[in-house]
Amino acid sequence: MLTSTPTTTGGLRGSHEGLARADGSAAPRVTRPDPEVVAIPGRARRRQFTAAYKLRILEEANHTPFGQVGALLRREGLYSSHLVNWQRQRAQGTLAALAPQRRGRPGRSAEARELAQVRAENTRLARKLAAAELVIEVQKKLSALLGLTLPNVPAFPDVEAPDMLLPPPLPPPPPTVARPPRGQRRR
C-alpha cells in the first residue's frame, strides 16, 4: 500500500485515488486488478491423454530440431515430465501403458462385494436375534414372577410339525445316589 507523505513542495508523493497533485490537478485514477479469484464453472478435472495423442506428441518431439521441444510443449500445454514418462512407457513396449490409467485403489471384485454384503446382513440379523431373545427371556422371567403360566399351545395349531424339525427328546436324568450327611462317613 502506498503511503502519503508530504514533500518539501507541499504535494503528496505516490498516487491515490481522489488525491490532488501539488499543481491542483486531480491525480489519475489507478485501477487495481480485482483480487477475487473466479472459479471456472464445473469441477476441475485431471487431464487424460489418449494413446494415439501420446504417440503423436512423441513422434513430433523426435522430429523437432534441437532446442525446439520447449515450443512444442508450450504449444500443447505439456510438461517435460510428460514426455519422459511417455518415452519410458513406449520403451517398455506396451501400448496399453500409454492409455489413460485409472488412479487410486483398484475396486473390489463382485464376489468380495457380495461377501461383504452377506456378512453385514448376517451381523444385522444376529443383533436382531439377540434383541429378540433378550425380550423373550424378560417375558419368561416376568411371567414367572407374576405367576402367569401359559398352556403349551403350538405356534401353528392347524399345521402338524414333522418329527424331523423337532429336537430329539431329552434322555432321562441319571439316578441320584443318596449320600450320607457331611459329618458321617461310611466305613
Side-chain angles (χ1 to χ4, degrees), residues 79-183:
Y79 296 101
S80 61
S81 61
H82 285 124
L83 283 182
V84 172
N85 289 336
W86 296 347
Q87 287 168 346
R88 186 178 303 130
Q89 289 172 347
R90 184 176 62 179
Q92 291 173 353
T94 56
L95 185 63
L98 290 174
Q101 296 175 355
R102 187 174 173 91
R103 297 179 56 82
R105 188 181 349 179
R108 295 190 307 182
S109 67
E111 287 179 352
R113 282 192 306 268
E114 183 180 355
L115 180 63
Q117 182 181 3
V118 168
R119 284 184 177 167
E121 184 179 1
N122 189 12
T123 304
R124 181 184 61 83
L125 291 175
R127 273 193 242 121
K128 196 172 182 179
L129 176 64
E133 288 175 345
L134 180 65
V135 168
I136 291 171
E137 284 297 317
V138 168
Q139 288 175 344
K140 285 180 183 178
K141 289 179 182 179
L142 181 64
S143 67
L145 284 174
L146 297 176
L148 302 174
T149 57
L150 296 175
N152 286 335
V153 178
F156 301 102
D158 299 342
V159 179
E160 201 165 310
D163 290 338
M164 65 181 171
L165 293 179
L166 296 175
L170 294 175
T176 57
V177 177
R179 294 187 178 179
R182 271 201 142 155

